[in-house]
Amino acid sequence: FPSHDRIADGNTPEHESTEEELNEQRIQAIKAKASELITSKYSIVWQLNHPRTDERYINEYTWIDNIRAISNMAEANGTNVEDIQWQ
């Protein structure tokens, strides 16, 4: 019996992403990379157990804030995730 579950190639048009959708995908990729960088160095558990207001952790939170600032700037100016200089 032929399978009716498969769709032959070319029978369904590919969705063309709008500029707004592409921009949202770009922003989500940037946010995901920033989160990956931050949590690979300072896990969520670490962040929860080391208060931002404790001066002993100023260097760690300065680094985290720098990654977030780079991410926010890239989102705002249209930079693609692969073109971001994270340092």
Side-chain angles (χ1 to χ4, degrees), residues 47-85:
Q47 293 177 56
L48 291 171
N49 288 311
H50 297 81
R52 176 177 280 279
T53 55
D54 189 327
E55 288 189 18
R56 291 178 294 175
Y57 309 116
I58 193 168
N59 292 332
E60 291 83 348
Y61 281 107
T62 297
W63 185 87
I64 290 170
D65 291 344
N66 185 52
I67 295 295
R68 289 182 177 150
I70 292 168
S71 173
N72 292 341
M73 190 180 314
E75 288 176 34
N77 68 19
T79 304
N80 290 321
V81 69
E82 60 271 8
D83 297 326
I84 297 171
Q85 298 295 317

Side-chain angles (χ1 to χ4, degrees), residues 6 8 13 16 31 37-38 43 48 52 66 86:
R6 291 185 7 220
E16 298 243 353
K31 288 183 183 298
L37 289 169
I38 291 168
S43 71
L48 291 171
R52 176 177 280 279
N66 185 52
W86 292 101

Side-chain angles (χ1 to χ4, degrees), residues 13-54:
E14 276 204 32
H15 173 72
E16 298 243 353
S17 296
T18 65
E19 190 172 325
E20 186 175 308
E21 289 171 327
L22 291 172
N23 191 50
E24 183 59 29
Q25 290 170 4
R26 180 187 66 80
I27 289 171
Q28 290 307 314
I30 292 169
K31 288 183 183 298
K33 182 63 177 179
S35 178
E36 174 190 324
L37 289 169
I38 291 168
T39 57
S40 70
K41 191 164 183 173
Y42 302 107
S43 71
I44 298 300
V45 172
W46 184 93
Q47 293 177 56
L48 291 171
N49 288 311
H50 297 81
R52 176 177 280 279
T53 55
D54 189 327

